[in-house]
Amino acid sequence: LKKCFDKGWVYKGRDVMPWCARCGTGISQHEIVTEGYQEVTHESVFVRFPLVGRDNEALLVWTTTPWTLSSNVAAAVGPELTYVKVQHEDGWTYYLAEEAAKQSLIGKWEVVDKMPGEALVGWEYVGPYDELPAVQKAFAEAGYTHRVIPWKEVGADEGTGIVHIAPGCGAEDFELSKENDLPVVAPLDENGIYIDGFEWLVGRSAHDVAHDVFEDLNKKGFYYRKQRYAHRYPHCWRCGNELVYRLVDEWFINMGELYDKPREEVTPEEKARSFRYQIMDAVDQANWYPSFGYDREMDWLRNMHDWMISKKRYYGLALPIYECRECGHFHVVGSRDELKERAVEGWEEFDGHTPHRPYVDAVKIACPNCGKPVERIKDVGNPWLDAGIVGISTMHYSTEPEYWRKWYPADWVSESFPGQFRNWFYSLLAQSTLMADGVGPFKNLFGYSTLYAEDGREMHKSWGNMIEFNEAAEIMGADTMRWLYASCKPEQNLRFGYHVGDETRRRFIIPLWNVYAFFVNYAQLDGWLPNGETAVSDNPAHAQLDKWIVERLNETTLAVREALNVFDSERATQHLEAFLDDLSNWYVRRSRRRFWKSEADADKAAAYATLYHVLVEFIKLLAPFIPFITEEMYQNLVRSVDENAPTSVHHHLYPQADPDALDRRLLDKMRLAITTASLGRAARSSADIKLRQPLAKARVNVGSQQEQDDLLELADVLTEEINVKEIEVVSEVGELVNYKLLPNNRVLGPKFGKLFPQVRKALMALDAAEAARKLQAGESLTLTVGDETVSLSGDDVLVQTESLGGTAVASDKGVTVAVDIELTPELIQEGYARDVVRMVNNLRKEAGLE
Ligand SMILES: [Zn+2]
Ligand SMILES: [Zn+2]
């Protein structure tokens, strides 16, 4: 604040601000925007403002806040709106907006004249509370009488199109008073009670005078009618009371001018004068996650008003502003030392206390201007001042600058972002800009959205959907909770609850535990212990499988590190979940027999060594996400057999892999096999044939020659996975499916109009398979229609596939699999035989036979 003061940026201003009468405090623009509006119904009122010098002629004015009428100063019209003069059966002649007449007037009336709003500007009228001393005093001082002013914002959708203006009771009204040089009549004290000068209203609360105001207006002949009116109205975010608008003295930091030109054209001199541009430089220095945070912060800096830093409270940061009552000069004290030096009384009372009320207020300093003793202003600081200085105050900025410099700025700051671009993030940036000479407060800013209950609503105890943390940790497990959080996109709201928890556990935690338990059970049965050696299977297919899962682990390690480097835990969890899927549903499933068999050969040793290695490295990767489960596994897998190993999984460095050493050929090949197998099974299931039933053949089409070779090499794996006798690779996808081209009528109709029937005809005449291939490759189709050549893209044409007779087809990622679904008697017999084997095995298991 002292630095701002030295730059001349601190000033005392008057402001009409939203105010909670119950809390006795102003509510900032930030706080209202964040969570302040509620739907409420008020009693609104239509009022006559009789025109001076015209018999029985009046403006008809409407307001939803009758308590503000005592402070009326002007009536605003839209200069370009059309107004009407209306002869009413009640004997009055009213002026109001033409469009508003029907909604405002009751009884019989007729329009006798029309005019633009401009024509009304300057008309003088009799105010509804001209008898009040406060009004007379303010008007006399300003040499003013009530009059009509122009205001572009006036519309005719609601009310009468003539707006009651009370600059002491409304923020926009206050702005208008500055533009039009209007007096300000401020009626309320800090508890929302009428102050002296308002006669019968004095001592009463603004919240409960509406009905008496109506009666009073009626008695005086101003009242026309009332109307219940539902609208969104600001409320106190702390206590829920309706806010009023109140004129107050507040302290501000000048944010500087917003120049009407692109930021890069702002000169150094202009920037030196404008705090907001200096803060923008600090915004540039950080990485923002999610990236839209950068734009939101910049948007706020472009649009924010001066920063109001004072708060009318007792507790809080005592603002070190000393304002002299004698000469009006104010001074900002920058440190305890400066306060001691300037103190003329009360230092002993304060000494030994923190700089808070009441002790700090005992100290008076000599006015640097006139020398009179001056006390501190009563205001405390906006809490965001406190919050934003954290990286400076807690890091010994004043006492140990070397230490502070070593740690500043923070590597990472994280907070739920709703509201914070205007509050905490902003305050951190502003104060760092000042204190650290333009160095931003953080290198990385990670924001995340809001947490809701799984029914999509906020959590409330009274709604029965609130879950207390300890209860959730107990029931769903802290690791499940962590995985749930880590796997949520930070920009999306997180839905939290036991169903989501169960789903998370089923999706990841249980399959992980199953792989671990599988390994541990068989290792115990076989008495297998890790000896640090890697065995290689003598079965080439198995050796390849072992190599592949290690490569997949390395690939995952690289991907997870890359995601975590940019704080993207959600992407990291996706890679980790995909790896677990491959480990569980491919590697372990395809290796099961290697663990089951009785002979302890090299193949089995290789399977153990590989799975052990992969599990241990995998839990190291997972440790920051699910620290408890991984620690449990680590203790059992590693510590129980190696007492020299680090005591905890969390004592290991995070796994690393060499991107250049990655066997991408092998990874691509196995990925293709996994995709093909899963498509083959999907095709079978689309034809409702269970996997146990052997089928004759699966035919596969893939893109490149390399992929065709890979498939043939892995044919044994695929025949097993899809349960077919034979895999055939075909080079033309047309051999597997029939393509049908359909014009996308909704696009093509408007595009070609009369030509459309001919375009459709030409499209139908194309070789469908060839056209489909082109479209899937992102190419366009060229048609000749009469003398014209037209071009169609993927959006213009719908491609339908249908399987050929006797096959079931599935297709994805450039792979198409067609499974022969014709069942011969031999295949059916074989299916029965498999069923029998399966049943016998189940019975043996139930009987406890080995
Ligand atoms: Zn309140
Ligand atoms: Zn002074």
Side-chain angles (χ1 to χ4, degrees):
L1 205 54
K2 175 78 172 183
K3 292 202 181 204
C4 288
F5 175 70
D6 289 343
K7 289 172 190 278
W9 291 347
V10 177
Y11 70 93
K12 183 171 90 168
R14 284 204 309 180
D15 193 19
V16 166
M17 65 173 320
W19 188 271
C20 176
R22 188 187 166 281
C23 298
T25 181
I27 303 291
S28 72
Q29 180 197 1
H30 319 186
E31 288 164 329
I32 292 194
V33 172
T34 323
E35 45 195 328
Y37 283 93
Q38 285 177 31
E39 188 81 25
V40 283
T41 301
H42 281 130
E43 203 92 77
S44 69
V45 64
F46 292 85
V47 186
R48 296 180 191 111
F49 285 177
L51 290 161
V52 172
R54 299 167 185 238
D55 278 350
N56 282 348
E57 291 194 6
L59 305 169
L60 193 64
V61 174
W62 175 75
T63 178
T64 60
T65 50
W67 69 269
T68 65
L69 282 169
S70 61
S71 304
N72 174 269
V73 167
V77 295
E80 277 150 36
L81 278 182
T82 301
Y83 287 77
V84 283
K85 180 181 183 181
V86 168
Q87 186 66 54
H88 198 281
E89 62 172 347
D90 66 7
W92 281 90
T93 297
Y94 295 115
Y95 292 86
L96 73 168
E98 181 177 29
E99 277 176 63
K102 278 204 182 108
Q103 75 209 20
S104 304
L105 296 167
I106 47 173
K108 283 197 185 126
W109 48 275
E110 61 172 327
V111 173
V112 293
D113 199 4
K114 272 191 202 187
M115 65 218 76
E118 252 170 348
L120 278 66
V121 171
W123 289 6
E124 296 186 0
Y125 64 90
V126 181
Y129 283 92
D130 284 352
E131 71 278 13
L132 295 179
V135 175
Q136 287 179 2
K137 181 164 174 269
F139 280 38
E141 276 173 12
Y144 176 85
T145 47
H146 289 286
R147 68 188 58 156
V148 177
I149 60 167
W151 186 23
K152 281 204 203 69
E153 299 298 313
V154 175
D157 297 344
E158 292 177 323
T160 64
I162 304 182
V163 178
H164 144 65
I165 302 296
C169 310
E172 290 169 318
D173 307 44
F174 186 67
E175 286 303 312
L176 280 174
S177 78
K178 291 192 235 169
E179 286 167 29
N180 292 278
D181 223 356
L182 306 177
V184 176
V185 182
L188 302 182
D189 73 5
E190 61 182 34
N191 299 314
I193 306 292
Y194 282 89
I195 56 174
D196 283 348
F198 289 84
E199 294 193 325
W200 64 273
L201 289 159
V202 174
R204 299 188 55 175
S205 160
H207 285 309
D208 51 41
V209 295
H211 284 279
D212 292 343
V213 167
F214 296 159
E215 237 171 67
D216 185 60
L217 291 170
N218 202 11
K219 216 164 51 192
K220 297 190 293 192
F222 286 85
Y223 180 85
Y224 181 72
R225 72 180 178 97
K226 62 182 182 180
Q227 184 184 46
R228 289 180 69 74
Y229 178 68
H231 59 156
R232 282 166 60 72
Y233 190 82
H235 285 65
C236 174
W237 62 272
R238 185 177 281 109
C239 75
N241 269 32
E242 280 180 22
L243 301 180
V244 292
Y245 282 79
R246 181 173 173 258
L247 185 76
V248 288
D249 283 340
E250 296 285 7
W251 292 85
F252 296 84
I253 293 175
N254 184 338
M255 294 312 295
E257 198 178 331
L258 178 72
Y259 304 112
D260 186 18
K261 55 173 149 182
R263 194 176 148 214
E264 53 278 9
E265 289 172 20
V266 172
T267 65
E269 293 75 31
E270 286 170 329
K271 190 192 281 182
R273 287 200 305 271
S274 187
F275 193 20
R276 68 181 78 230
Y277 286 96
Q278 298 171 28
I279 302 174
M280 287 180 194
D281 288 352
V283 175
D284 286 342
Q285 294 164 30
N287 300 311
W288 294 78
Y289 307 101
S291 58
F292 64 69
Y294 176 86
D295 301 323
R296 293 241 199 130
E297 196 61 67
M298 284 297 190
D299 190 54
W300 172 242
L301 287 170
R302 273 189 296 272
N303 290 303
M304 76 174 294
H305 305 158
D306 284 351
W307 189 12
M308 191 184 88
I309 52 164
S310 53
K311 215 159 172 76
K312 306 263 180 282
R313 292 256 177 84
Y314 186 87
Y315 295 103
L317 180 88
L319 286 178
I321 302 174
Y322 291 76
E323 188 185 20
C324 178
R325 288 195 190 158
E326 294 293 326
C327 73
H329 178 84
F330 73 89
H331 182 78
V332 173
V333 171
S335 67
R336 182 179 279 263
D337 289 343
E338 188 191 339
L339 184 62
K340 187 175 183 182
E341 199 178 294
R342 291 183 180 274
V344 290
E345 61 183 86
W347 180 260
E348 296 71 27
E349 218 176 304
F350 166 60
D351 204 13
H353 292 101
T354 60
H356 292 93
R357 296 175 83 177
Y359 304 105
V360 71
D361 284 358
V363 183
K364 288 185 183 167
I365 67 167
C367 172
N369 187 43
C370 73
K372 295 264 164 44
V374 182
E375 54 185 20
R376 200 187 66 82
I377 59 165
K378 288 287 168 275
D379 299 13
V380 296
N382 178 308
W384 296 112
L385 277 179
D386 266 12
I389 201 78
V390 60
I392 291 165
S393 60
T394 63
M395 300 306 285
H396 311 180
Y397 172 89
S398 301
T399 51
E400 286 179 77
E402 282 307 314
Y403 175 85
W404 173 78
R405 221 164 281 138
K406 182 176 156 200
W407 291 101
Y408 205 80
D411 284 318
W412 193 69
V413 160
S414 170
E415 173 61 295
S416 175
F417 58 68
Q420 302 299 1
F421 297 109
R422 298 150 184 263
N423 290 326
W424 193 45
F425 302 158
Y426 158 73
S427 174
L428 283 166
L429 286 159
Q431 302 199 56
S432 186
T433 300
L434 278 168
M435 303 299 283
D437 295 323
V439 176
F442 39 71
K443 294 176 189 162
N444 298 285
L445 190 285
F446 179 80
Y448 49 92
S449 196
T450 309
L451 181 140
Y452 287 113
E454 55 189 6
D455 60 11
R457 301 187 300 164
E458 283 176 33
M459 283 192 178
H460 284 292
K461 217 172 194 169
S462 57
W463 294 353
N465 63 356
M466 195 207 75
I467 301 176
E468 198 267 332
F469 170 79
N470 288 305
E471 180 199 301
E474 201 58 48
I475 294 176
M476 73 166 69
D479 278 350
T480 302
M481 216 192 296
R482 292 175 65 98
W483 194 259
L484 194 167
Y485 275 81
S487 59
C488 175
K489 279 191 193 302
E491 58 268 43
Q492 286 170 359
N493 293 322
L494 188 147
R495 294 198 174 187
F496 184 82
Y498 292 120
H499 293 102
V500 186
D502 279 347
E503 205 276 313
T504 305
R505 190 165 45 219
R506 258 201 308 274
R507 192 180 75 233
F508 188 72
I509 307 285
I510 291 177
L512 173 67
W513 190 264
N514 286 345
V515 173
Y516 163 78
F518 173 87
F519 171 82
V520 170
N521 288 339
Y522 282 98
Q524 270 172 351
L525 273 177
D526 281 332
W528 185 87
L529 288 175
N531 59 6
E533 284 169 29
T534 48
V536 178
S537 173
D538 44 11
N539 175 327
H542 290 171
Q544 188 182 53
L545 191 63
D546 289 344
K547 179 156 194 311
W548 167 75
I549 196 65
V550 173
E551 291 296 318
R552 262 299 276 139
L553 177 74
N554 292 337
E555 187 185 33
T556 305
T557 302
L558 290 167
V560 168
R561 273 186 164 265
E562 196 182 298
L564 292 184
N565 280 342
V566 293
F567 309 99
D568 190 344
S569 70
E570 188 262 343
R571 184 148 55 93
T573 62
Q574 294 215 338
H575 288 299
L576 291 162
E577 289 193 10
F579 177 76
L580 177 63
D581 192 43
D582 281 351
L583 176 64
S584 168
N585 294 323
W586 194 261
Y587 180 78
V588 171
R589 186 169 57 78
R590 294 203 52 78
S591 299
R592 271 182 306 201
R593 288 198 174 75
R594 302 165 68 191
F595 294 91
W596 291 345
K597 65 184 171 190
S598 42
E599 57 275 32
D601 55 11
D603 180 51
K604 191 176 197 175
Y608 271 122
T610 304
L611 185 52
Y612 180 78
H613 165 76
V614 167
L615 267 176
V616 171
E617 293 305 306
F618 188 36
I619 62 173
K620 287 184 200 165
L621 270 183
L622 289 170
F625 298 86
I626 47 171
F628 302 105
I629 294 171
T630 49
E631 181 70 349
E632 167 93 16
M633 292 174 173
Y634 176 81
Q635 291 302 326
N636 189 29
L637 290 174
V638 178
R639 282 284 293 172
S640 70
V641 293
D642 178 7
E643 58 185 20
N644 295 319
T647 329
S648 162
V649 67
H650 305 295
H651 294 179
H652 281 272
L653 290 177
Y654 205 58
Q656 182 66 282
D658 177 4
D660 297 328
L662 217 51
D663 188 343
R664 297 185 197 274
R665 279 284 308 119
L666 177 58
L667 287 165
D668 288 346
K669 182 158 76 174
M670 203 64 87
R671 193 165 286 129
L672 179 65
I674 293 171
T675 304
T676 306
S678 112
L679 286 171
R681 289 193 296 265
R684 296 180 59 116
S685 121
S686 74
D688 229 355
I689 300 171
K690 53 188 174 183
L691 195 54
R692 281 201 302 283
Q693 172 63 57
L695 294 172
K697 190 196 266 187
R699 289 185 298 161
V700 188
N701 172 259
V702 285
S704 67
Q705 186 60 46
Q706 180 68 63
E707 287 178 318
Q708 297 182 18
D709 295 347
D710 287 349
L711 277 185
L712 287 176
E713 198 200 312
L714 289 167
D716 288 350
V717 173
L718 292 171
T719 53
E720 225 177 285
E721 288 288 325
I722 310 175
N723 196 11
V724 288
K725 301 289 175 197
E726 190 192 339
I727 296 286
E728 187 191 332
V729 174
V730 300
S731 50
E732 291 299 325
V733 73
E735 294 179 47
L736 305 183
V737 283
N738 262 335
Y739 284 103
K740 218 173 143 186
L741 301 178
L742 293 173
N744 189 349
N745 293 344
R746 250 193 304 171
V747 178
L748 290 187
K751 194 163 163 184
F752 292 109
K754 263 190 281 177
L755 209 56
F756 178 46
Q758 285 171 271
V759 173
R760 175 165 52 193
K761 208 170 150 199
L763 179 66
M764 299 311 231
L766 289 178
D767 174 346
E770 171 62 14
R773 192 200 56 73
K774 277 189 177 172
L775 290 173
Q776 280 172 353
E779 297 168 31
S780 57
L781 305 177
T782 310
L783 302 177
T784 312
V785 181
D787 307 337
E788 287 188 55
T789 305
V790 301
S791 170
L792 300 183
S793 74
D795 296 334
D796 300 327
V797 185
L798 305 171
V799 179
Q800 285 188 340
T801 57
E802 47 190 33
S803 49
L804 298 174
T807 65
V809 181
S811 167
D812 188 27
K813 300 172 191 161
V815 183
T816 305
V817 181
V819 179
D820 203 336
I821 54 173
E822 232 133 297
L823 288 173
T824 62
E826 289 76 18
L827 288 171
I828 294 172
Q829 293 291 334
E830 200 181 330
Y832 287 152
R834 293 227 188 164
D835 278 344
V836 170
V837 170
R838 189 181 130 93
M839 273 160 69
V840 169
N841 277 338
N842 282 346
L843 290 170
R844 284 170 61 98
K845 218 190 245 168
E846 280 167 31
L849 298 173
E850 281 291 311

